[in-house]
């Protein structure tokens, strides 16, 4: 018996080892381009296993990331006759980590298929299928039944798939995705079908975590929390699916184990919590309160989620000279940070691992930055939560699309410039996704500025869109059109000037608007063996080594100190890392080489926050 048992155990171990080996051989990291240090750490059996929605946490969930089947077929075909191989979800099909590295285009569809078994703790309840982001038009099928469609590449969505599930056993999930990239009018950011210069590789299909969640017939679909440090309050509301008459919301705020406020209201109402002895959030002290929201019926909770919030205020006000200044918690804080595109040579839109996601933010903090301009891209929710935790201010761009109009950048005059004459379809896509993005990101305190347009890229109905944005979220500032075309709307006038720092004229604009430098710098250095392309790399000014690069950069920070005295409230340097053909980052695209010394950067940046610069 003992020998038989030994043989059985050995056989099981061998089978397990062969299964794991088979899974690994189905996926291989593509290495024809540079990769980051984290690419080799990606586990194809459990990529990005972390909980994907940290602003609204429930316990019953199941991560569906991993190896799925894929096929690329003609747009006119109904369904794949056969699948072509394995793709590692949630990495875009064009990326190296996906294991595929193929383009799709407007004339083709990308199909996914997987078979899952739902965890026992999720059965017997309503089942929600969540997608962090899929670019662009998605239709989802469960066991052959269409459960819904979604258009948008940057916002999360979900479907209640309860009625499509079989009673037990394997469940089949299939997706059909169409993404026209720059052949369509939808928001797409920097993606183009023929990458070059400042335009990058397409991102098609699933690029954020896919997951299941178990809920009851009544559940919290979303929450909205907004702080007011002057009134010492937090307002909280929630959207409830399946609410019944008499249901209530119980909301409580916590400082560790200490309950600081609690309120019970009827569903559909807004609660106001008094946060009397408030701890303010800032880059130096990023304090976060915990928040609990529960639906109460008959004195008992029928659903509960955990969240967090911060007491912080972003606003503007005049200094002693009558010049508008950007205020954080009612005090002027010069905001300085890089243009950050959030691209990865191996994952494209998707950081390879959680460690990689945190790396850029951590290194920028070490360099002495207190702000990031998130440029033409939306990040996974965990990125914003990490910025909340470490104290990094964020300016959030709306991803552009439907380009075509001329850029008339005349910083001395507020002029009408030109606007794109968008079709109703194009305008509808923009409005729908901008609304969804703002809803999704509202609860992250790190975000202090919304930017609807960049450099006239698809810019249309500027005043209307800006005023709509300001009305939708009066708790943040709005940078109407970063870099122009300029209209007399929003909270600031934003100049782009390369390579040296400059600013909009404060004597013209500063009495009514913040004056900011939305982009400058772009100093380039091509580091051999760490570039995406061998030829056609570029920066706005190129250097041969890091010493020359830093010497020039230091003159820019000296100039910024003079501009701050004159009225400059914020500045954005291009950029965090090299991106594809661009070689103007603080780091190389693979994150393996720091082009300038971090400690020296911290020293020159620290001078920019000296309160004595502003009388």
């Amino acid at each position: 018996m003992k020998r038989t048992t030994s043989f059985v155990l050995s056989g099981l171990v061998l089978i397990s080892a062969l299964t794991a080996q088979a899974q690994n051989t189905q996926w291989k990291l593509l290495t024809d381009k540079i990769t980051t240090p984290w690419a080799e750490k990606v586990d194809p059996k459990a990529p990005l296993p972390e909980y994907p929605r940290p602003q609204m946490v429930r316990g019953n969930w199941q991560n569906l990331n991993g190896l799925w089947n894929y096929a690329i077929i003609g747009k006119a075909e109904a369904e794949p006759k056969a699948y072509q191989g394995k793709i590692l979800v949630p990495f875009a099909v064009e990326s190296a980590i996906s294991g595929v590295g193929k383009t799709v285009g407007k004339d083709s569809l990308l199909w996914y298929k997987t078979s899952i078994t739902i965890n026992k703790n999720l059965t017997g309840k309503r089942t929600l299928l969540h997608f962090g982001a899929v670019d662009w038009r998605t239709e989802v099928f469960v066991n052959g039944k269409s459960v819904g469609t979604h258009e948008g590449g940057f916002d999360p969505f979900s479907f209640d798939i309860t009625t499509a599930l079989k009673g037990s056993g394997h469940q089949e999930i299939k997706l059909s995705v169409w993404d026209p990239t720059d052949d369509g009018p939808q928001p797409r950011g920097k993606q183009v079908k023929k990458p070059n210069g400042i335009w990058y590789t397409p991102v098609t299909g699933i690029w954020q975590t896919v997951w299941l969640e178990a809920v009851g017939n009544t559940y919290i679909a979303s929450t909205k929390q907004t702080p007011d440090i002057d009134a010492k309050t937090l307002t909280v509301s929630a959207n409830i699916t399946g609410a019944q008459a008499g249901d209530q919301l119980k909301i409580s705020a916590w400082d560790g184990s200490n309950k600081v406020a609690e309120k019970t209201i009827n569903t559909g109402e807004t609660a106001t919590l008094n946060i009397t002895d408030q701890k303010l959030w800032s880059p130096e002290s990023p304090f976060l309160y915990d928040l609990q929201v529960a639906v109460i019926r008959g004195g008992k909770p029928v659903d509960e989620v955990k969240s967090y919030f911060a007491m912080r205020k972003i606003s503007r006000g005049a200094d002693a000279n009558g010049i508008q200044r950007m205020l954080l918690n009612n005090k002027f804080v010069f905001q300085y940070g890089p243009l950050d595109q959030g691209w990865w040579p191996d994952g494209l839109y998707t950081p390879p691992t959680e460690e990689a996601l945190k790396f850029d933010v951590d290194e920028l903090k070490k360099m002495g930055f207190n702000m990031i301009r998130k440029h033409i891209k939306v990040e996974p929710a965990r990125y914003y939560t990490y910025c909340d935790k470490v104290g990094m201010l964020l300016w959030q761009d709306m991803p552009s699309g439907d380009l075509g109009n001329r850029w008339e950048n005349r910083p001395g005059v507020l002029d009408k410039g030109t606007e794109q004459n968008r079709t109703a379809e194009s305008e509808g896509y923009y409005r729908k996704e901008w609304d969804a993005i703002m809803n999704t990101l509202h609860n992250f305190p790190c975000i202090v500025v919304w930017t609807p347009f960049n450099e006239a890229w698809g810019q249309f109905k500027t005043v209307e869109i800006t005023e709509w944005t300001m009305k939708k979220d009066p708790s943040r500032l709005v940078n109407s059109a970063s870099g122009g075309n300029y209209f007399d709307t929003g909270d600031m006038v934003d100049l782009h000037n390369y390579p040296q720092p400059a600013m909009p004229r404060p004597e013209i604009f500063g009495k009514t608007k913040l004056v900011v430098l939305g982009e400058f710098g772009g100093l380039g250095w091509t580091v051999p063996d760490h570039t995406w392309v061998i030829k056609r790399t570029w920066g706005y000014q190129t250097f041969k080594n890091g010493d020359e690069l830093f010497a020039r950069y230091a003159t820019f920070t000296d100039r910024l100190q003079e501009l701050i005295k004159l009225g400059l409230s914020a500045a954005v340097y291009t950029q965090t890392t090299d991106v594809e053909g661009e070689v103007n980052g603080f780091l190389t695209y693979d994150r393996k080489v720091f082009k300038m010394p971090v400690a020296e950067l911290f020293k020159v940046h620290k001078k920019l926050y000296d309160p004595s610069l502003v009388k």
Side-chain angles (χ1 to χ4, degrees):
M1 287 293 294
K2 289 182 179 179
R3 291 182 65 184
T4 303
T5 303
S6 176
F7 282 130
V8 171
L9 289 174
S10 298
L12 290 174
V13 170
L14 178 61
I15 291 170
S16 177
L18 290 173
T19 301
Q21 184 179 14
Q23 285 181 317
N24 286 332
T25 56
Q26 290 175 323
W27 171 85
K28 184 179 180 181
L29 173 69
L30 305 180
T31 56
D32 56 327
K33 299 278 190 180
I34 56 173
T35 58
T36 66
W38 304 278
E40 299 290 345
K41 298 181 180 180
V42 173
D43 180 0
K45 297 186 292 297
L48 296 173
E50 296 81 12
Y51 187 82
R53 194 185 58 194
Q55 265 285 4
M56 202 174 87
V57 178
R58 285 191 186 91
N60 280 354
W61 76 289
Q62 180 178 344
N63 195 315
L64 300 185
N65 292 345
L67 288 170
W68 294 31
N69 297 309
Y70 85 93
I72 300 172
I73 63 173
K75 189 179 177 184
E77 296 180 52
E79 196 171 330
K81 295 181 177 62
Y83 283 80
Q84 297 157 5
K86 297 292 185 179
I87 182 171
L88 189 60
V89 170
F91 296 94
V93 67
E94 296 90 349
S95 72
I97 300 180
S98 74
V100 181
K102 296 179 181 178
T103 57
V104 182
K106 66 180 178 63
D107 297 321
S108 299
L109 295 175
L110 171 62
W111 279 81
Y112 295 83
K113 184 175 79 169
T114 190
S115 179
I116 66 166
T117 301
I118 298 177
N119 292 344
K120 290 182 179 180
N121 62 317
L122 272 68
T123 59
K125 301 180 180 181
R126 304 207 69 79
T127 303
L128 305 181
L129 175 59
H130 292 276
F131 296 87
V134 183
D135 197 351
W136 175 71
R137 179 182 293 155
T138 306
E139 185 171 10
V140 181
F141 304 85
V142 175
N143 295 321
K145 179 182 178 181
S146 177
V147 295
T149 60
H150 177 266
E151 291 179 334
F154 301 94
D155 58 310
F157 60 97
S158 62
F159 301 117
D160 185 335
I161 63 172
T162 308
T163 59
L165 295 174
K166 295 185 293 186
S168 61
H170 294 292
Q171 315 284 343
E172 182 188 73
I173 299 174
K174 291 195 290 189
L175 270 71
S176 169
V177 181
W178 178 65
D179 179 16
T181 312
D182 52 331
D183 285 319
Q186 81 289 351
R188 58 177 172 81
K190 289 289 196 80
Q191 304 174 53
V192 293
K193 60 182 180 291
K194 295 181 179 179
N196 66 90
I198 65 170
W199 308 104
Y200 315 141
T201 302
V203 171
T204 302
I206 299 169
W207 67 273
Q208 288 189 33
T209 292
V210 185
W211 55 293
L212 294 176
E213 183 179 33
V215 296
N217 290 325
T218 300
Y219 64 92
I220 299 165
S222 64
T223 66
K224 182 179 181 180
Q225 45 249 27
T226 307
D228 184 337
I229 71 167
D230 299 322
K232 298 183 179 180
T233 61
L234 178 80
T235 58
V236 183
S237 60
N239 291 322
I240 310 299
T241 297
Q244 297 183 10
D247 285 353
Q248 293 184 306
L249 272 181
K250 184 178 181 181
I251 303 163
S252 56
W254 299 76
D255 178 352
S257 59
N258 179 36
K259 186 191 296 181
V260 298
E262 185 174 84
K263 205 71 167 286
T264 300
I265 59 173
N266 295 322
T267 58
E269 296 180 346
T270 298
T272 301
L273 276 62
N274 295 312
I275 313 296
T276 52
D277 188 19
Q278 58 185 344
K279 297 179 180 179
L280 300 183
W281 183 98
S282 69
E284 296 75 27
S285 180
F287 182 81
L288 299 174
Y289 292 89
D290 292 322
L291 189 71
Q292 296 181 11
V293 182
V295 179
I296 305 297
R297 181 179 299 156
K300 296 181 179 180
V302 295
D303 188 40
E304 184 174 6
V305 297
K306 295 180 179 180
S307 186
Y308 67 88
F309 68 95
M311 297 303 293
R312 71 99 184 90
K313 176 184 178 182
I314 186 69
S315 60
R316 59 188 177 104
D319 65 13
N321 297 317
I323 299 297
Q324 290 286 302
R325 296 286 187 172
M326 192 177 294
L327 308 178
L328 180 66
N329 300 332
N330 296 321
K331 297 179 181 179
F332 173 60
V333 175
F334 182 71
Q335 295 192 21
Y336 185 50
L339 194 76
D340 191 291
Q341 321 235 27
W343 282 73
W344 301 82
D346 36 34
L348 299 181
Y349 266 4
T350 312
T353 65
E354 177 85 351
E355 183 183 7
L357 178 146
K358 295 177 178 179
F359 175 82
D360 284 1
V361 179
D362 287 340
E363 295 308 317
L364 292 173
K365 287 282 286 187
K366 292 175 186 176
M367 293 176 193
F369 293 112
N370 64 3
M371 176 264 280
I372 292 170
R373 179 184 170 199
K374 183 51 62 177
H375 188 47
I376 315 295
K377 186 206 173 189
V378 176
E379 293 289 351
R382 295 189 66 86
Y383 178 91
Y384 297 98
T385 289
Y386 192 64
C387 289
D388 290 340
K389 289 179 178 179
V390 302
M392 182 65 82
L393 301 165
L394 278 180
W395 294 17
Q396 179 62 54
D397 286 9
M398 168 62 182
S400 56
D402 201 4
L403 312 187
N405 49 315
R406 284 189 305 118
W407 181 26
E408 295 184 356
N409 184 3
R410 294 187 282 172
V413 180
L414 275 174
D415 62 67
K416 294 287 184 181
T418 60
E419 292 186 300
Q420 180 79 348
N421 184 20
R422 285 185 147 178
T423 65
E425 179 188 40
S426 172
E427 182 175 331
Y429 289 144
Y430 175 97
R431 290 180 182 271
K432 180 174 68 173
E433 192 142 11
W434 188 219
D435 183 60
I437 289 169
M438 290 184 67
N439 288 337
T440 300
L441 301 183
H442 178 86
N443 291 342
F444 295 104
C446 61
I447 298 175
V448 293
V449 173
W450 298 117
T451 304
F453 299 112
N454 175 76
E455 289 187 0
W457 296 352
Q459 186 177 345
F460 74 103
K461 297 183 179 178
T462 310
V463 174
E464 181 182 338
I465 295 294
T466 300
E467 292 181 356
W468 177 89
T469 303
M470 297 175 76
K471 182 178 180 180
K472 181 174 177 66
D473 186 7
S475 72
R476 292 179 170 94
L477 299 175
V478 177
N479 185 5
S480 174
S482 184
N485 294 319
Y486 296 106
F487 289 76
D488 192 6
T489 186
D491 291 298
M492 58 192 77
V493 176
D494 177 332
L495 173 67
H496 292 183
N497 195 80
Y498 288 98
Q500 64 278 351
M503 65 186 290
R505 295 171 61 182
E507 69 275 16
I508 296 178
F509 304 118
K511 300 293 184 179
T512 59
K513 295 279 193 295
L514 297 165
V515 289
V516 304
L517 175 57
E519 292 181 27
F520 80 103
L523 302 179
W525 172 30
T526 301
V527 181
D529 301 322
H530 296 277
T531 57
W532 177 263
V533 292
I534 304 301
K535 297 180 180 179
R536 302 190 311 278
T537 60
W538 72 282
Y540 287 93
Q541 188 176 353
T542 57
F543 296 84
K544 297 179 180 179
N545 57 61
D547 291 339
E548 290 182 2
L549 182 64
F550 178 73
R552 178 64 167 148
Y553 179 80
T555 68
F556 287 178
T557 58
D558 289 342
R559 177 57 179 159
L560 284 177
Q561 293 178 62
E562 299 303 314
L563 297 180
I564 294 168
K565 295 176 183 178
L566 297 174
L568 187 67
S569 274
V572 178
Y573 179 86
T574 302
Q575 62 185 323
T576 301
T577 72
D578 298 348
V579 184
E580 299 205 356
E582 299 180 39
V583 292
N584 47 17
F586 288 103
L587 292 91
T588 53
Y589 196 19
D590 58 10
R591 275 73 167 176
K592 293 178 180 177
V593 178
F594 288 80
K595 297 187 182 183
M596 290 184 260
V598 172
E600 294 305 311
L601 286 170
F602 184 88
K603 290 179 183 178
V604 297
H605 293 160
K606 187 177 181 180
K607 299 175 183 178
L608 302 177
Y609 310 123
D610 185 349
S612 68
L613 293 175
V614 179
K615 303 300 183 189

